[in-house]
Amino acid sequence: MNNLKLVFSSYSYVILGIVVFVSMFIPISLLSEFIFVEPYLVLHVTEYSAFGFTLVIVVSIISAIVIPMNVYRIKRLQKGTSKIGGSMIGTIIGASAGICGCGPIGFSIISIFGTVAGTTTAFLTEYEIPIRLGSIGLLCIVYYTTSRSISTECKVG
Amino acid sequence: MNKKFAIGIAAVVMVTVVVIMGSTYYSTLMQMQEYKPRMSSAPVDLTNGSPVLGSPDAPITIIEFGDYQCEMCYHWFHTTRDDVINTYVDSGKANLVFLDLPFLGRDSHPAAQATYCADDQGKYWEYHTTLYTFQEGVDDGWASKDRLVAFAFNLEMDMDEFNDCMDTSKHASRVNANYDQAVKQGAQATPSFIIVSSDGTTKKISGAQPYSVFSRTLEAML
């Protein structure tokens, strides 16, 4: 908790966190068809998609915490970039899960790459929940190791 | 130096992913907006589509582009469609036509063909409903040839006629024509909808959107 205070005591990291959250949450929600902008702006979360939507929010929040923490760690403590790589992977996996093959991106990918792309998008759609949970797990591990690293280096607490 | 290089690589990957996702979505939006002029420059050819559900004289036609393996089509079918049918189709305010956009997997096309084999026996909408009731994963066997035959059997169809229809791919060209028509109309997702009023005004809805969007759109066109 002290590490969070330490990192987010600077407005630049708060802004970075907000930017990461928005740039995660909005595109994923659009691609997963939780938000529609045409013909009207509407949020559409049904009973069957509520858990998936919750996971999108969780992935976006953890990414918005972990990425600024890693940037802080790299900039201030001059540490290696391995953990930010982990957070990027977790973020990208979390973002790609649930991108429906039925949607415009799925249609474009399948039209260009054919059956293999169809199988991939079907996998991402079918295993949306476990993939997102895995990505959250990965992000949590990165948070823990990053937090420990900051604590050690800054001797917080 | 190595750290900067690694940060740079990570940033490039992140930015590339965001740019690809964003640009694809943006281009789709632009295409939708280009389509937005209320008068359709390319009238929708419904001759190869499903039978009309509802009154053929209804002032509004809802055209649905769908794939029987599409999960979002399944959700739209089970959440929004009933309300649209009850409020607008059953009351004679609108009718519904389904056009196939089978792209998700190898079983999508035969499933679409099977609906027209059912149509030959006057059971298009029953078969359509059956497919969206028993839909499972893409190409996981739920729409295999045997299952398509079993669905027909359960609907008490003439099995010799149905099997002959499927074996000869009698309606393959009809499904292809629907696919071409969907692409021509700019459909890039399933389900997609074009709503056409009697004066030729059109509106497009992309995705499994809620009933409120359909209600607002239809009321504005009535």
Side-chain angles (χ1 to χ4, degrees), chain A residues 31 38 78 81 102 107 125, chain B residues 3 21 70-71 188 190 209:
Chain A
L31 294 172
E38 280 280 326
Q78 302 295 308
T81 56
C102 307
F107 183 81
T125 307
Chain B
K3 284 175 192 169
M21 288 163 75
C70 164
E71 188 187 356
Q188 288 196 325
T190 52
Q209 300 209 27

Side-chain angles (χ1 to χ4, degrees), chain B residues 15 28 35 37 46 48 53 58 60 64 68 74 81 106 109-110 122 155 158 160 175 178 202 207 211 217 220 222:
Chain B
V15 168
T28 306
Y35 187 83
L46 301 176
N48 291 300
L53 183 66
I60 287 179
E64 178 187 356
Y68 289 105
Y74 172 92
R81 186 178 183 270
R106 63 176 185 277
H109 205 282
L155 290 171
D158 180 330
D160 287 339
V175 174
N178 283 339
T202 63
Y211 173 70
T217 306
L222 278 168

Side-chain angles (χ1 to χ4, degrees), chain A residues 24-106:
Chain A
M24 285 284 294
F25 177 71
I26 301 293
I28 297 174
S29 297
L30 287 167
L31 294 172
S32 302
E33 300 194 357
F34 293 123
I35 295 176
F36 297 98
V37 291
E38 280 280 326
Y40 308 107
L41 180 63
V42 60
L43 174 70
H44 183 46
V45 182
T46 58
E47 199 179 328
Y48 71 82
S49 64
F51 187 56
F53 184 68
T54 307
L55 293 183
V56 169
I57 295 171
V58 173
V59 169
S60 302
I61 290 173
I62 301 179
S63 297
I65 293 171
V66 166
I67 290 176
M69 280 177 80
N70 273 287
V71 172
Y72 175 91
R73 184 175 157 272
I74 292 161
K75 272 186 76 176
R76 293 289 179 88
L77 307 178
Q78 302 295 308
K79 284 284 160 186
T81 56
S82 59
K83 289 185 179 63
I84 201 166
S87 61
M88 292 287 184
I89 291 167
T91 300
I92 291 167
I93 291 171
S96 59
I99 292 178
C100 182
C102 307
I105 290 191

Side-chain angles (χ1 to χ4, degrees), chain B residues 3-183:
Chain B
K3 284 175 192 169
K4 283 184 179 172
F5 182 72
I7 293 169
I9 294 287
V12 167
V13 169
M14 189 73 173
V15 168
T16 307
V17 169
V18 170
V19 166
I20 290 171
M21 288 163 75
S23 62
T24 308
Y25 187 77
Y26 182 75
S27 75
T28 306
L29 265 185
M30 287 301 102
Q31 282 172 9
M32 285 168 71
Q33 282 169 3
E34 277 168 22
Y35 187 83
K36 220 178 170 183
R38 302 297 184 228
M39 296 296 290
S40 173
S41 56
V44 186
D45 182 2
L46 301 176
T47 50
N48 291 300
S50 73
V52 175
L53 183 66
S55 167
D57 300 323
I60 287 179
T61 295
I62 304 166
I63 303 159
E64 178 187 356
F65 299 100
D67 182 320
Y68 289 105
Q69 296 206 92
C70 164
E71 188 187 356
M72 287 298 171
C73 300
Y74 172 92
H75 290 308
W76 188 82
F77 185 91
H78 289 281
T79 55
T80 306
R81 186 178 183 270
D82 279 352
D83 289 334
V84 172
I85 299 292
N86 292 339
T87 309
Y88 294 99
V89 175
D90 288 350
S91 63
K93 293 176 182 171
N95 57 42
L96 176 73
V97 176
F98 186 89
L99 258 65
D100 311 282
L101 180 53
F103 72 97
L104 273 169
R106 63 176 185 277
D107 289 342
S108 296
H109 205 282
Q113 289 180 49
T115 61
Y116 296 114
C117 291
D119 186 31
D120 289 344
Q121 300 185 43
K123 294 200 173 181
Y124 178 89
W125 289 110
E126 291 91 333
Y127 201 90
H128 177 93
T129 300
T130 300
L131 291 181
Y132 278 130
T133 301
F134 292 99
Q135 187 201 85
E136 291 173 29
V138 175
D139 289 346
D140 70 357
W142 77 271
S144 65
K145 192 193 168 196
D146 289 345
R147 290 294 300 278
L148 295 175
V149 169
F151 293 145
F153 180 79
N154 288 340
L155 290 171
E156 298 178 346
M157 288 190 219
D158 180 330
M159 294 314 297
D160 287 339
E161 188 182 341
F162 185 87
N163 284 327
D164 186 52
C165 177
M166 290 299 289
D167 290 343
T168 58
S169 299
K170 182 182 172 186
H171 294 295
S173 57
R174 183 175 180 176
V175 174
N176 288 336
N178 283 339
Y179 180 93
D180 292 342
Q181 183 60 214
V183 172

